[in-house]
Amino acid sequence: MLLLSLSLLASLHLLFSNEGRLVRSVHYDPNEVTAHKKLGSSSYYYYYPGVPKSDGHPESLQRSGTSWQTGCSVAPESRFDCGRDRLLSQEECEERGCCYAPLPGSAGPPWCFYPAPYPGYTMGRLTPSERGQTATLTRASPSYLPKDVSTLSLEVMNETPGCFHVVLKDPSSQRYEVPLPAGRPQTEAFQDQDALYTTEYQHDPFGFVVRRKSSGRVLLNTTVAPLLFADQYLQLSTALASSLVSGLGEHYTPLVLDLNWTSLTLWNRDMAPHADANLYGSHPFYIVQEEDGLAHGVFLLNSNAIEVTLQPTPALTWVSTGGILDLYIFLGPDPQSVIRQYLQIIGYPMMPPYWSLGFHLCRWGYATTNATRMVAQRMHSANLPMDVQWNDLDYADKRRVFTFDPLRFGDLPEMVQEFHKEGMKYILILDPGISSTSPPGTYPPFEDGVKRDVFLKNATGQILIGKVWPGPTAFPDFTNPEAWQWWEDCIRGFYSKVPVDGLWIDMNEPSSFVQGSVEGCPDSELEKPPYTPRVVGGQLNSGTICMSAQQKLSSHYNLHNLYGLTEAYATHSALMRIRGKRPFVLSRSSFPGIGRFSGVWTGDVRSDWEQLRFSIPAVLQFSLFGVPLVGADICGFGGNTTEELCVRWMQLGAFYPFMRNHNDKPNAPQEPYVFGQKAQAAMRSALNLRYSLLPFLYTLFHHAHTSADTVARPLFMEFPTDPNCRTIDRQFLWGSSLLISPVLEQGAVELSAYVPAGTWYQLHNGQPFPSSGQYVQLPAPLETINVHVREGHIIPQQEPALTTAASRRNSFFLTVALSTGGWAWGDLFWDDGDSLMTFETQNYCYVNFTAEQSQITSIPVNLNGALANLLLGGLRVFGVPSSPLYVLANGEKVRNFTYQADTKVLTVTSLALPMSETFTVQWVL
C-alpha cells in the first residue's frame, strides 16, 4: 500500500534542506549482543501486581485456553482495550483471545481487554547495522486485523547520549515515511557508558523497555500490551513513568493532560477550539514530568491520522492509520533539555523580524482601504502602539487570492506605501484554495497552475475540486517542487503591486466546505479505512478533501497533516527570495517542524472567559512543540467581547509571544480605541509595557532560534523540582526571568498566584516579595497585570513608542533585580531586526550585563554597528539595601538618582552611555 519512491522522497527532502547532516553514532558491543542472545534463548516477561505469571507459551492463551487464572485478573485501570478498532460482543472479544469482563456504570475501562501475555511478534537476535542494530520480528499466526503484516524490521539507534531511536517497519513493502530536516546538529560518537538510558527487550511476545540509567526508572515499557501492525492499523502501548503528561496537541486541554480514559486524535481540521475535538494541528510528541524533577519526552514521527488513548495505569496507546512506527525517546534529564533534544530532530525555530513582536490588528470586515486606513489612524491618534495592520479576505476580488477588489481596494498599493512611510507594516490573508471557475483568460493563478500541473488530483487523475470562499477551488500540491516555484511566481506578481510585509496562510488543513470534493470521493479503503480515529464529522475526509487525492509524494491519506507545513515552507521560501528580508508567515495548520518557517495562532477562539483561560495552555503547548511565535486572537474571534474581557485579554495578550487582536465579521468592534477612557488607559499601559520589553523578548527569540530555549515557558520547565509548579497553566514565564500572573476571571480585582521560592520583585515598582514557594493574593484592579522579576536577572528595556521603527531608536534602560547576594545577570541580542541570517553571519551585537559588588557592568561580546548611536538612558536597581551616598557612571558622579527606602529601589536617570561600549554604573553605600 501507498508506495513512496526514493526519488519522490528525495524531492521532499529538498524542502528540509540545509547544510550539514546529523552523524548517527553506531555502537557495536559484542558482549551486548551476547547478552541479547542469552535473553533470546528463553523468553521473559514483566509482571505487575494482579497479573499472574504464565508458562511462557502465548499459544496457551488462545480462546480455548484463556482463563481468569492465566491472565484476565487485571485491575480495571490497567486494562488495555482489545476492541479499539470496533465495538465487540463477548463472543467476538473471546474469538480474539481476549478477556471480557463488563463494568456496568463505568464509562472508562474497556470491557474487552488483552490478557497478560497475549500472542504477538517474536523477536530475532539483534545484529549490528549501519545506524545501530536490527532484528526481525515475526508472527506465528496473523492478528485479528485485516492485511496484517507478519514480518517486521526493528532498528534501534543510540542517536546521542540523550536520544534513543526505535523504528518498526514492513521490510517487504515501502510505506510512507515522513522525511526529517537535514542540517540537524552533528553529534560526536559517544561511549555507551555516557548514555542516559538502558534498553531491554522481551523476545516473545516482543516488547522493549527504556530505563533511566541513573535511577533505573522505567520510562517506556511496551510489553504491557501487544504490538499490532497491519496495513492501515498500527498500535503500540506503553506504561508511563508518571501521570504528568503534556503535549499531543493541538487540543483544547489543560497543560497537563487528563489520563482518565481520554482520547486525543491528531488529524488537522478546520474546527473552532472546544473540548474533545481534533483541531488545526497535529503534534505527536509528549513530555512526562517524573516525580523527582527529571523529565523525558517521546516523539512518534508519523503523519497519518493518529489516536492516542490515555489511561490511569498510567499508560498510553498510539494507534496510527498508516506509515511506520518511528519513535524517538528523549532523556532530558530536565524538561528544557527534553525540548532541546526534540528540536534537534525537528529543527530549531526561525528568528522573527523585530517588528513582528509589536501589536497586530485585524478583523474580517474592514471592507475598504479607507476603513482599513481609519483603523491605523485611530490607533495612533489614541496613542495606542501598533506595528502591523492586517486585512482578511475583504481585500480580494471575488474572494480570489492574488487579486484585489478594483472598487473597494483599488488603491491598496498606495495604502501599503502609506503604512510603510509611517513606520508600519502590512499583512494580508492568503488561502491555498485557487478559484477554478473564473472566465478563461481572467485568472492566471489557476490557468498557470493547470499548465504547470501543480494541483492535487483525484483518484482518476483529474484536478480535484473542493469548495472554499471563492466557490469551487483547486488545491496546490506543496510536495511538488514545481508548485513551490509557481507559488513563488504568484506571490512575486502580487508583491510587485502590493508590497506586503508578511503572509497569513489560513484554511490550510486544508479546509473545504464540501466533504472530499464537489464530486464526492470514491468508495475505497483510503476514504473509509478499517479503523477511523474519533474525528469531528466521523470520517477522515470530513471538512477537507478526499483521502485518495494524489500528491507528488503520496496520497493525501498520508500527507494531510503535512499540508500546512509544506505550504509554510513554500511561503517562507518565496518571501525570503522576493523580499530579501526575514520572512513573516503565520499558519493555522501545523505539524512538527513548522516553527522553522512560521508562527502559529490558535484559531477561531470565542470571546469568553473560559477561552481566555485556555489560551495559556494552548500557547505553552506550542512552546513545547518548537513554535515560540504563537498567540491567540486577543478579545476573541467568535462572538461579542465585553470591555472588561477585552482589557484582561489585552493584558494577557501583551505577553503572548505573538500579539494580535482579531475579530469576526458580524461581531461588535473590539479595537482598543472603541472602549471607554479607563479601558483604553489600561490597554495603552499593557501595550507600552510590552513595547518597553521588546529588547528582552527579542533576545529570548534569539536564544530560541540558536539554542532551542523556550520563550513563553511553563513554570514546571524552570522549576522542575517544585511539585507546586507541575500543573500550573494560569501563569507562565517569559524565559527564566519574568513571571506573568494575569486576571482570568470576570469581575476579579485580585488573584491567587503561585510565587516559586526566591525573591521576586514587582516589575512596575520593585516591591520585593521573598517567597518560600507559596500562593499569594495579589491586588489586580482593572488597569493592572501582575508581572514579577526574578532575583538575579537583568532585563534590557527601551522607551516605548507607537511603532517598533520608532521605539528601536529610543534610549535603553535596565531593570536590575539583585539576588540576596547582590548579583544579577542579563543579556541583549540586537541586530537590524530584518536581515537574513544575522547570527549565522556574525552581523549582530551581543552584550552581557553583570551586577555584583554594588556595580553594573556591560560587556559587549560581539559588535556590528547595530547599536551605534543608541544610549543607555537610565536604570532601576531592585534590592539595594540602603540609600547610596553617591552614584558613579564610568567613574563620573551622577546627579540624577533617587532611592525609595520602603521598596529598596535605586533609580538612575539622565544617563547617556553608549550601548556599544563597555560601561560601569556603581553605587557607593
Side-chain angles (χ1 to χ4, degrees):
M1 163 197 154
L2 315 172
L3 299 184
L4 170 62
S5 75
L6 292 176
S7 63
L8 291 179
L9 180 61
S11 77
L12 188 62
H13 241 82
L14 291 172
L15 187 160
F16 298 105
S17 64
N18 210 324
E19 285 95 25
R21 299 285 299 174
L22 174 67
V23 177
R24 291 182 172 85
S25 303
V26 177
H27 304 274
Y28 173 43
D29 181 346
N31 295 323
E32 187 175 276
V33 176
T34 304
H36 290 309
K37 280 189 207 168
K38 291 176 183 173
L39 291 174
S41 63
S42 61
S43 300
Y44 70 97
Y45 300 90
Y46 290 86
Y47 294 101
Y48 295 90
V51 182
K53 295 184 180 181
S54 89
D55 59 7
H57 295 284
E59 296 81 6
S60 68
L61 292 172
Q62 298 301 326
R63 185 183 174 215
S64 58
T66 301
S67 73
W68 285 95
Q69 285 70 40
T70 58
C72 290
S73 54
V74 177
E77 68 273 10
S78 296
R79 295 180 176 185
F80 287 85
D81 194 348
C82 182
R84 203 177 301 278
D85 55 318
R86 62 187 179 90
L87 193 63
L88 300 176
S89 66
Q90 179 172 354
E91 182 179 8
E92 290 170 322
C93 173
E94 292 176 349
E95 280 175 355
R96 291 185 171 186
C98 291
C99 309
Y100 190 85
L103 292 169
S106 173
W111 292 11
C112 179
F113 55 97
Y114 297 108
Y118 184 83
Y121 289 91
T122 301
M123 177 183 173
R125 89 182 196 49
L126 279 168
T127 59
S129 70
E130 185 180 346
R131 301 193 301 170
Q133 293 179 304
T134 62
T136 299
L137 309 183
T138 54
R139 291 192 71 97
S141 57
S143 73
Y144 52 78
L145 295 170
K147 298 185 181 178
D148 186 59
V149 179
S150 60
T151 301
L152 295 178
S153 152
L154 165 71
E155 187 170 24
V156 296
M157 292 148 279
N158 301 323
E159 295 274 5
T160 69
C163 177
F164 180 62
H165 186 189
V166 181
V167 178
L168 289 156
K169 63 170 73 172
D170 180 354
S172 64
S173 175
Q174 183 73 53
R175 300 169 62 84
Y176 181 69
E177 300 181 27
V178 183
L180 276 172
R184 291 182 283 149
Q186 294 193 1
T187 56
E188 299 294 327
F190 64 94
Q191 299 299 314
D192 284 350
Q193 61 262 30
D194 296 330
L196 301 179
Y197 49 86
T198 62
T199 55
E200 302 155 27
Y201 300 90
Q202 174 175 291
H203 287 242
D204 188 8
F206 167 74
F208 64 91
V209 177
V210 179
R211 296 178 186 269
R212 185 175 296 286
K213 186 190 285 186
S214 62
S215 63
R217 178 183 292 120
V218 173
L219 306 183
L220 253 75
N221 179 2
T222 72
T223 70
V224 294
L227 162 69
L228 297 175
F229 201 119
D231 190 31
Q232 290 180 273
Y233 187 99
L234 288 64
Q235 177 177 300
L236 183 71
S237 300
T238 179
L240 295 167
S242 89
S243 298
L244 299 166
V245 181
S246 298
L248 301 173
E250 180 181 2
H251 298 96
Y252 189 74
T253 62
L255 181 61
V256 173
L257 298 169
D258 179 7
L259 268 58
N260 190 26
W261 302 104
T262 55
S263 172
L264 299 169
T265 296
L266 308 181
W267 187 243
N268 295 0
R269 171 66 197 248
D270 175 1
M271 181 53 54
H274 64 280
D276 303 317
N278 51 301
L279 302 180
Y280 312 100
S282 292
H283 294 269
F285 165 81
Y286 66 83
I287 183 170
V288 178
Q289 300 177 60
E290 300 167 33
E291 295 300 330
D292 51 6
L294 304 185
H296 67 275
V298 176
F299 172 41
L300 174 62
L301 179 58
N302 183 296
S303 60
N304 289 85
I306 293 173
E307 187 168 342
V308 184
T309 301
L310 301 164
Q311 61 189 71
T313 317
L316 171 152
T317 297
W318 301 97
V319 175
S320 174
T321 59
I324 65 170
L325 293 173
D326 191 350
L327 276 177
Y328 291 83
I329 299 98
F330 308 109
L331 275 287
D334 58 278
Q336 185 62 60
S337 296
V338 171
I339 302 306
R340 187 169 294 114
Q341 290 157 357
Y342 176 42
L343 267 58
Q344 284 173 353
I345 299 300
I346 65 169
Y348 285 13
M350 53 85 185
M351 184 69 184
Y354 193 95
W355 57 262
S356 70
L357 305 183
F359 179 59
H360 302 245
L361 189 52
C362 183
R363 83 168 290 170
W364 191 9
Y366 294 148
T368 66
T369 49
N370 283 341
T372 308
R373 283 183 176 97
M374 188 59 65
V375 172
Q377 288 169 8
R378 292 187 66 182
M379 281 293 293
H380 285 172
S381 294
N383 281 319
L384 292 159
M386 181 178 86
D387 259 77
V388 194
Q389 179 63 56
W390 294 48
N391 273 121
D392 207 314
L393 206 51
D394 308 272
Y395 77 88
D397 184 17
K398 301 182 181 68
R399 296 182 169 180
R400 298 173 303 172
V401 294
F402 302 118
T403 71
F404 56 94
D405 187 288
L407 297 177
R408 296 179 299 107
F409 280 81
D411 62 343
L412 178 59
E414 291 76 15
M415 182 185 78
V416 176
Q417 296 290 7
E418 291 165 23
F419 287 152
H420 289 166
K421 287 175 185 173
E422 294 163 13
M424 293 174 58
K425 306 294 182 182
Y426 179 74
I427 291 171
L428 46 68
I429 197 168
L430 180 61
D431 294 341
I434 302 296
S435 173
S436 62
T437 55
S438 298
T442 65
Y443 189 47
F446 179 69
E447 294 177 7
D448 190 34
V450 172
K451 287 177 190 171
R452 297 168 70 169
D453 196 22
V454 303
F455 296 120
L456 275 79
K457 303 289 180 42
N458 61 23
T460 61
Q462 307 303 307
I463 294 175
L464 182 141
I465 302 297
K467 192 173 184 182
V468 201
W469 298 114
T473 51
F475 296 88
D477 173 9
F478 292 109
T479 69
N480 181 354
E482 182 61 30
W484 306 340
Q485 188 58 55
W486 163 84
W487 190 246
E488 180 182 326
D489 293 343
C490 290
I491 294 172
R492 188 182 298 276
F494 188 76
Y495 181 86
S496 68
K497 304 182 189 74
V498 184
V500 297
D501 297 286
L503 289 168
W504 168 24
I505 52 175
D506 193 8
M507 305 293 287
N508 58 344
E509 292 72 31
S511 176
S512 182
F513 300 157
V514 294
Q515 185 168 346
S517 80
V518 293
E519 298 177 343
C521 300
D523 187 8
S524 71
E525 287 189 335
L526 293 183
E527 307 299 339
K528 297 178 181 177
Y531 172 72
T532 299
R534 299 176 202 181
V535 294
V536 174
Q539 294 186 35
L540 295 182
N541 57 26
S542 298
T544 189
I545 60 179
C546 297
M547 296 298 100
S548 55
Q550 292 302 306
Q551 300 187 232
K552 181 81 170 175
L553 206 55
S554 187
S555 67
H556 195 69
Y557 180 88
N558 289 324
L559 299 173
H560 172 83
N561 279 347
L562 297 172
Y563 195 86
L565 170 64
T566 55
E567 187 195 16
Y569 164 77
T571 309
H572 180 274
S573 299
L575 284 175
M576 187 164 55
R577 284 191 285 267
I578 292 164
R579 297 180 69 248
K581 297 178 181 177
R582 216 173 290 168
F584 175 87
V585 180
L586 185 73
S587 176
R588 189 170 71 180
S589 169
S590 62
F591 188 80
I594 197 167
R596 300 174 65 217
F597 312 118
S598 176
V600 167
W601 92 105
T602 63
D604 296 344
V605 295
R606 286 192 321 272
S607 297
D608 65 40
W609 292 89
E610 180 189 274
Q611 299 250 335
L612 170 72
R613 288 191 291 274
F614 272 88
S615 75
I616 298 178
V619 165
L620 294 179
Q621 284 189 61
F622 274 105
S623 288
L624 304 181
F625 300 150
V627 190
L629 190 65
V630 58
D633 284 345
I634 291 168
C635 303
F637 175 77
N640 294 326
T641 192
T642 64
E643 184 169 274
E644 181 191 3
L645 174 63
C646 203
V647 167
R648 293 307 194 188
W649 214 320
M650 284 286 286
Q651 290 171 338
L652 169 58
F655 290 91
Y656 292 155
F658 169 64
M659 184 185 190
R660 182 183 70 157
N661 178 324
H662 181 39
N663 194 6
D664 198 2
K665 205 170 197 171
N667 303 334
Q670 60 189 38
E671 295 83 4
Y673 56 73
V674 304
F675 298 104
Q677 290 303 309
K678 184 178 179 185
Q680 282 192 46
M683 293 179 179
R684 187 179 300 111
S685 175
L687 284 165
N688 281 329
L689 177 57
R690 179 187 179 87
Y691 272 63
S692 78
L693 288 166
L694 287 183
F696 173 63
L697 179 61
Y698 192 62
T699 301
L700 292 180
F701 270 98
H702 162 70
H703 291 303
H705 173 61
T706 58
S707 305
D709 286 355
T710 46
V711 176
R713 186 172 301 176
L715 270 70
F716 79 76
M717 294 196 72
E718 192 64 27
F719 303 100
T721 60
D722 183 345
N724 293 308
C725 291
R726 289 174 180 165
T727 61
I728 290 176
D729 59 9
R730 296 168 71 97
Q731 300 167 261
F732 59 100
L733 298 155
W734 265 13
S736 56
S737 318
L738 292 186
L739 175 65
I740 296 99
S741 306
V743 169
L744 303 171
E745 309 289 343
Q746 185 174 3
V749 291
E750 63 175 15
L751 74 143
S752 175
Y754 183 73
V755 182
T759 298
W760 296 78
Y761 301 90
Q762 281 277 8
L763 178 61
H764 75 279
N765 65 4
Q767 180 75 44
F769 181 77
S771 174
S772 58
Q774 65 203 82
Y775 279 90
V776 295
Q777 288 297 119
L778 298 174
L782 187 67
E783 67 276 8
T784 300
I785 179 168
N786 279 281
V787 182
H788 288 82
V789 193
R790 187 179 179 187
E791 65 170 319
H793 291 265
I794 299 175
I795 311 296
Q797 295 178 254
Q798 208 168 14
E799 294 298 333
L802 294 182
T803 64
T804 56
S807 69
R808 282 176 56 87
R809 297 191 292 266
N810 287 347
S811 294
F812 284 84
F813 63 98
L814 299 179
T815 295
V816 182
L818 294 177
S819 70
T820 49
W823 59 266
W825 183 90
D827 61 344
L828 172 69
F829 176 85
W830 196 258
D831 57 14
D832 66 9
D834 221 10
S835 291
L836 296 166
M837 298 185 70
T838 58
F839 175 72
E840 292 78 2
T841 59
Q842 297 284 305
N843 187 22
Y844 66 93
C845 297
Y846 183 69
V847 181
N848 283 333
F849 306 104
T850 57
E852 56 185 343
Q853 297 178 334
S854 301
Q855 71 175 27
I856 297 157
T857 304
S858 83
I859 306 166
V861 177
N862 197 78
L863 291 172
N864 75 330
L867 282 171
N869 304 318
L870 291 175
L871 303 174
L872 181 77
L875 50 86
R876 300 182 300 166
V877 188
F878 299 162
V880 177
S882 60
S883 179
L885 300 174
Y886 53 90
V887 174
L888 302 174
N890 288 340
E892 308 249 335
K893 279 195 175 181
V894 173
R895 293 183 180 180
N896 295 302
F897 72 90
T898 60
Y899 180 76
Q900 195 76 24
D902 55 342
T903 55
K904 295 183 166 47
V905 174
L906 168 65
T907 303
V908 183
T909 59
S910 301
L911 297 176
L913 304 176
M915 289 292 290
S916 57
E917 298 175 13
T918 297
F919 61 74
T920 300
V921 178
Q922 182 180 10
W923 56 97
V924 178
L925 301 178

